[in-house]
Amino acid sequence: MIFNEIYGAYYNAVCEIIKESLKKPLSTQDLRRLVEKHAFKESAPLLIPQIKNEEWKLIKKDGTTPLKNPPTLPLTTLQKRWLRSVMLDPRIKLFIDTPEEILPEVEPLFMPEDIVLYDKYENGDNFTSKDYINNFRAILNAILEKKCLIINMTKKNGCFSKVLVRPIRLEFSEKDDKFRLIAEGCSFARTINLSSVISCEATDKTVKRQSPKKETESLVLQVKDQRNALERVMLHLAHFKKTATLDEGDTYQVTIEYSKADEAELLIRILSFGHLVRVVSPSSFALLIKERIDKQISLLNLN
Amino acid sequence: MAYSELIKNFEKIRDYMREFYVYGFKNRSEFTKKSPRAYDDVRRRVDSYLGDYMSFSRTVDGKSVFLSIDTRDIQKNPLYNALKAKSFTDMDITLHFIVFDILNSSDICLTQNQLIEKIIDDYLSEFESHTLFDESTLRKKLREYEAQGLIVSQKRGKALYYKRPDPVFLPPLREPLAFFSETLSCGALGSFILEKSDTPPHIFSFKHHYITRALDSDILLSALLAINERQEILVQTCSKKKAEPTSLWVVPLYVFQGTQNGRSYLMAYDLNNKKIVPLRIDYILKITPVGKCLDFDLYRQEFNSMRPYMWGVTTKRDKTSTEYVEFVVQIDKGEDFIYSRLMREKRCGTVEILDDSHIKFSAHLYDSWEIVPWIRTFIHRITEIHFENKHVERQFYEDLKAMQRLYSESSSALLGESEGCDDF
């Protein structure tokens, strides 16, 4: 079972408490600090009395411990088996050259073919290409070492381009099966598909730091809960920051925050729900939908 | 009973957390399954586990709780926290840390009696209050640890000795763990390893990331173990349509995960009805293995033969035939991306260029209703569309007209006339 106390927050907190108590007797403030850091928000008033009252024979009233070593725990069989499954995933080559040498005697928890992402796009990145792996690692190292990168890449229009950027993060989309580099320093290269990178190298040159700018918009939808539409919409859009309220009867109002750059993608996702979802605002978004529907009605001579 | 943050059974909070995260508009009185007190306790627990992600809104109907998370902003699935809330006894935690303190290296090998002696003399005797603990408690714990792979036993003569397993060599795995604990099934296991190392910097973010799967971790684990061991299983599942859970005797074949709709299914062979069924993993309450399945490969083969006709998860029903679907889209100059879109999204379908400005998609499917949402994403380009299933075709046209009315009429007009199917 994954839901097991040995992986639990209280065990983690107690582990850290024992580690510190081996160095010096712990005060109540020390306990509070450690519990707040390693357990849950409300844990301190529940956990500390159990320690102080010696209900767990691990920390004495004077804040010392009879334990002799900083606690350590071997990996569980489940963790090893999961790691073995990781080593069978083609994407592991992005990180490790010889994954077959890691835990070779351990039986995997599952095989890659046991799990099917049935609606994943077919033009995903080639994670086993040598050039792709080299570029991925160069970018990853640059992020870790906080270095800028000179990237030779192919732009959407097919032209070559050389850019100097500060890499921030690697964004992965399961649906697209692609990595994108989120970067700053170049206005037309804030998001770079890794598959479009020809080569890259770290540089000591720098770019001007920009305060993170997130252009988000609110999209307000009205959802009619027929044909299980509410569940489909809410689950479909679950990864957005959102709120929902019941309007009346079986009609709900859902507000999601989305990035302006993803508007085209979101537009077709909303269209996929058909007449059970209506865009309330922004009106420009609703207008785009209306125009598409009107054109479609006309193309199929449904007027 | 006094309030406790920890819980014995994860099912107690699984449903609530999904409601808070996926829906988030229900107020206290609408959580009818349990008592208001149970609701208050769950709300308080989830608030403690997830802290900053919890939000509240107040309407005339009352206060509602919701989890609002933009998954692109997070590097670690916050719902994994709920999996770290399993309750335990005072003796569980005491023995856990003491036993592994005694067995602190794989060179130390002790019998149960030697362990008891050390536990009492070197540890428990240090405390003012005495703790009674019996041999059977330790035996049970040792058996548990052995099953988890945390200790190994060795027989020497008549005595059974316990030790830590030999250490395994692992290269630094911080970055792969940060990635795979978010992208691979049962990733919580990876996140638990990761949190024992230094906190990794925020290297990865995830788009189209359905984090509720964390709540199904143990169900998914049982399903994957059963697939791996070629086991027949009993699946207890619930649905919105039936008040009581139902039980199915099946052979699990694959886990099918949607990357666009957040749903996951266990594709399984139903041994009573002799057909392959998709079971929503978030609706599964319990999985119990019942024995080895000798025909596993046969069932998988049968399923694989259906794949060329499956758009989503609907397999061959009682009828033998498939339903043909085709549509043509028009593209303007410079809109080659539509062809690319069709090619990358076509799944089991076929894409054919008709001329400079028209592309045809066609497929034979077990259930042509499943493809309708995707076809709608091409609205404003479709010049021709044909469904062999005329009911689906009629529904498609009616829905399209309803969409037009929706945006033509006043803002309150969110009414479709079609009765339609229950679900896609």
Side-chain angles (χ1 to χ4, degrees):
Chain A
M1 292 280 277
I2 294 173
F3 184 59
N4 190 296
E5 68 271 16
I6 59 164
Y7 307 122
Y10 279 33
Y11 273 45
N12 286 348
V14 169
C15 175
E16 297 305 317
I17 288 168
I18 293 169
K19 274 185 199 167
E20 287 226 4
S21 70
L22 285 166
K23 295 177 199 157
K24 61 166 185 129
L26 298 183
S27 65
T28 307
Q29 284 79 2
D30 292 327
L31 290 175
R32 183 174 299 280
R33 174 177 49 82
L34 290 164
V35 172
E36 281 173 357
K37 187 171 175 196
H38 297 282
F40 305 123
K41 191 173 90 178
E42 246 194 66
S43 301
L46 299 159
L47 198 154
I48 293 172
Q50 290 184 282
I51 294 175
K52 295 198 74 168
N53 298 337
E54 296 186 347
E55 282 168 43
W56 305 336
K57 309 293 183 215
L58 299 167
I59 302 289
K60 295 196 284 185
K61 285 195 169 134
D62 62 5
T64 61
T65 177
L67 274 75
K68 287 139 189 93
N69 311 287
T72 58
L73 200 62
L75 292 179
T76 62
T77 304
L78 271 184
Q79 286 174 321
K80 285 188 209 164
R81 290 186 67 181
W82 182 83
L83 277 175
R84 190 69 206 121
S85 292
V86 168
M87 299 306 148
L88 298 176
D89 190 293
R91 294 168 296 184
I92 191 62
K93 292 264 188 180
L94 299 172
F95 303 93
I96 297 168
D97 285 327
T98 50
E100 62 281 0
E101 289 172 7
I102 295 172
L103 300 169
E105 71 293 349
V106 173
E107 190 188 357
L109 192 58
F110 50 86
M111 300 301 288
E113 62 270 22
D114 293 341
I115 299 164
V116 178
L117 306 181
Y118 64 91
D119 56 358
K120 185 175 78 172
Y121 290 169
E122 286 176 33
N123 64 339
D125 287 353
N126 183 358
F127 303 115
T128 52
S129 140
K130 216 170 165 55
D131 287 342
Y132 188 93
I133 292 171
N134 288 340
N135 291 335
F136 181 91
R137 290 183 184 178
I139 293 168
L140 187 63
N141 283 337
I143 296 172
L144 290 169
E145 289 167 14
K146 298 185 172 21
K147 288 208 152 195
C148 285
L149 281 168
I150 296 172
I151 298 180
N152 288 303
M153 56 185 270
T154 318
K155 284 165 70 175
K156 272 183 187 165
N157 57 11
C159 298
F160 293 106
S161 178
K162 189 175 191 171
V163 292
L164 171 67
V165 295
R166 183 192 312 281
I168 298 171
R169 264 194 301 282
L170 282 162
E171 181 179 77
F172 182 73
S173 161
E174 198 170 59
K175 178 179 92 172
D176 302 329
D177 203 22
K178 280 180 187 301
F179 276 102
R180 296 182 183 92
L181 170 64
I182 311 296
E184 62 180 17
C186 178
S187 60
F188 64 87
R190 285 190 186 137
T191 306
I192 301 170
N193 282 340
L194 253 68
S195 56
S196 70
V197 175
I198 300 162
S199 64
C200 61
E201 60 174 328
T203 173
D204 289 330
K205 289 180 185 168
T206 57
V207 296
K208 203 177 156 196
R209 276 199 183 276
Q210 295 156 327
S211 55
K213 199 168 78 179
K214 204 178 164 190
E215 288 177 31
T216 57
E217 293 265 339
S218 287
L219 177 70
V220 182
L221 305 170
Q222 213 172 31
V223 181
K224 187 90 177 159
D225 192 17
Q226 290 176 355
R227 303 188 205 165
N228 203 21
L230 183 68
E231 200 241 10
R232 283 188 290 113
V233 171
M234 297 304 273
L235 202 52
H236 203 102
L237 305 177
H239 55 86
F240 290 103
K241 201 166 185 175
K242 64 180 187 331
T243 54
T245 50
L246 174 64
D247 258 5
E248 56 175 359
D250 61 355
T251 306
Y252 295 81
Q253 182 147 308
V254 180
T255 307
I256 64 170
E257 280 179 34
Y258 70 99
S259 163
K260 191 79 181 143
D262 294 328
E263 189 164 274
E265 181 197 338
L266 190 57
L267 187 130
I268 61 171
R269 286 174 78 179
I270 300 299
L271 276 173
S272 76
F273 295 116
H275 70 290
L276 298 172
V277 175
R278 185 174 72 89
V279 174
V280 177
S281 71
S283 51
S284 56
F285 198 115
L287 191 65
L288 281 174
I289 298 231
K290 184 181 182 312
E291 281 169 4
R292 288 196 178 200
I293 296 165
D294 288 344
K295 187 173 173 195
Q296 188 57 67
I297 293 280
S298 151
L299 277 174
L300 292 175
N301 295 319
L302 297 177
N303 275 322
Chain B
M1 223 169 89
Y3 166 79
S4 163
E5 240 183 352
L6 306 183
I7 47 169
K8 199 170 177 186
N9 184 355
F10 191 69
E11 281 303 315
K12 266 188 175 177
I13 58 166
R14 188 174 163 217
D15 255 9
Y16 281 104
M17 287 189 71
R18 198 183 314 280
E19 286 280 352
F20 293 159
Y21 178 64
V22 176
Y23 298 99
F25 51 78
K26 284 189 184 172
N27 60 49
R28 189 172 182 252
S29 63
E30 288 172 276
F31 284 89
T32 50
K33 278 188 191 169
K34 297 272 163 64
S35 69
R37 166 80 188 276
Y39 167 81
D40 290 340
D41 283 351
V42 171
R43 188 204 50 71
R44 188 173 162 191
R45 283 185 191 115
V46 177
D47 186 26
S48 186
Y49 306 157
L50 300 176
D52 299 342
Y53 298 110
M54 283 286 267
S55 302
F56 304 89
S57 68
R58 195 173 282 281
T59 63
V60 282
D61 300 318
K63 185 171 151 186
S64 55
V65 176
F66 62 97
L67 291 167
S68 191
I69 303 167
D70 182 343
T71 56
R72 287 174 89 171
D73 291 340
I74 53 171
Q75 59 175 332
K76 185 193 158 194
N77 186 339
L79 304 187
Y80 287 157
N81 268 0
L83 294 165
K84 300 197 300 185
K86 172 83 160 69
S87 62
F88 51 84
T89 65
D90 295 345
M91 192 49 78
D92 283 334
I93 192 165
T94 302
L95 283 181
H96 176 85
F97 283 99
I98 293 177
V99 165
F100 287 101
D101 194 55
I102 297 170
L103 302 176
N104 69 81
S105 98
S106 58
D107 301 331
I108 301 166
C109 208
L110 297 172
T111 65
Q112 184 178 288
N113 285 342
Q114 288 170 326
L115 274 167
I116 291 174
E117 214 177 291
K118 277 186 173 292
I119 291 168
I120 295 171
D121 295 350
D122 298 353
Y123 295 88
L124 300 185
S125 64
E126 295 265 332
F127 292 87
E128 287 167 21
S129 61
H130 287 288
T131 305
L132 292 174
F133 98 99
D134 57 65
E135 217 175 285
S136 68
T137 312
L138 180 65
R139 192 182 310 125
K140 207 174 132 226
K141 270 280 130 201
L142 291 172
R143 248 188 249 140
E144 242 177 76
Y145 293 146
E146 205 175 350
Q148 289 167 331
L150 294 172
I151 58 171
V152 288
S153 64
Q154 292 174 344
K155 198 128 193 179
R156 289 187 199 166
K158 280 184 181 173
L160 195 60
Y161 283 79
Y162 296 95
K163 66 183 274 284
R164 277 184 185 233
D166 293 328
V168 286
F169 167 75
L170 289 175
L173 292 173
R174 196 178 63 165
E175 283 76 37
L177 279 173
F179 177 70
F180 285 104
S181 60
E182 293 302 311
T183 52
L184 208 60
S185 293
C186 300
L189 287 165
S191 84
F192 298 153
I193 305 172
L194 189 62
E195 63 191 17
K196 295 281 175 193
S197 62
D198 300 338
T199 315
H202 194 165
I203 314 162
F204 298 110
S205 59
F206 304 91
K207 197 179 177 186
H208 311 117
H209 191 28
Y210 290 102
I211 60 171
T212 38
R213 286 181 188 145
L215 304 174
D216 307 323
S217 291
D218 269 323
I219 296 295
L220 188 57
L221 175 70
S222 302
L224 289 168
L225 285 172
I227 293 172
N228 193 271
E229 289 159 19
R230 276 61 177 135
Q231 291 268 359
E232 291 174 7
I233 55 173
L234 280 180
V235 177
Q236 199 183 62
T237 179
C238 62
S239 82
K240 283 184 179 168
K241 291 170 191 164
K242 288 181 188 165
E244 289 301 311
T246 48
S247 214
L248 286 164
W249 176 35
V250 302
V251 180
L253 301 173
Y254 289 101
V255 169
F256 262 42
Q257 288 184 338
T259 65
Q260 302 179 39
N261 59 14
R263 292 181 181 183
S264 293
Y265 297 84
L266 179 62
M267 305 305 296
Y269 185 83
D270 180 340
L271 288 157
N272 281 327
N273 296 307
K274 305 204 179 323
K275 63 177 183 179
I276 288 164
V277 288
L279 303 169
R280 280 274 293 265
I281 288 181
D282 51 347
Y283 290 175
I284 297 178
L285 303 170
K286 197 176 171 193
I287 289 181
T288 316
V290 286
K292 201 94 182 156
C293 172
L294 300 176
D295 293 326
F296 180 88
D297 291 337
L298 216 64
Y299 296 136
R300 255 202 175 179
Q301 217 175 343
E302 185 181 336
F303 179 77
N304 289 340
S305 70
M306 295 178 182
R307 294 283 299 277
Y309 310 104
M310 289 170 61
W311 182 258
V313 295
T314 305
T315 54
K316 186 153 74 175
R317 296 168 179 172
D318 298 331
K319 57 192 174 181
T320 49
S321 62
T322 55
E323 301 170 355
Y324 181 69
V325 188
E326 68 166 42
F327 66 94
V328 176
V329 294
Q330 67 173 24
I331 57 166
D332 288 335
K333 266 195 182 146
E335 288 189 331
D336 294 345
F337 61 90
I338 294 298
Y339 175 70
S340 308
R341 236 199 95 192
L342 283 159
M343 287 305 288
R344 73 171 185 240
E345 298 175 25
K346 67 179 171 49
R347 303 190 210 176
C348 57
T350 306
V351 174
E352 192 185 336
I353 297 174
L354 300 180
D355 56 45
D356 284 352
S357 55
H358 293 90
I359 308 169
K360 184 168 99 175
F361 170 92
S362 61
H364 291 271
L365 304 172
Y366 289 126
D367 180 3
S368 49
W369 187 235
E370 273 193 327
I371 200 173
V372 168
W374 181 67
I375 295 176
R376 287 196 196 113
T377 66
F378 293 96
I379 279 176
H380 90 299
R381 295 186 178 276
I382 303 166
T383 55
E384 263 184 69
I385 185 158
H386 304 288
F387 291 87
E388 189 178 342
N389 182 332
K390 291 300 160 195
H391 171 69
V392 174
E393 187 166 284
R394 198 168 51 247
Q395 191 72 62
F396 177 82
Y397 283 123
E398 283 178 13
D399 287 355
L400 195 56
K401 287 183 211 161
M403 284 173 88
Q404 191 190 32
R405 282 196 298 279
L406 197 64
Y407 286 92
S408 303
E409 292 167 6
S410 65
S411 59
S412 60
L414 187 79
L415 286 171
E417 289 173 354
S418 48
E419 291 299 317
C421 311
D422 292 328
D423 199 352
F424 306 131

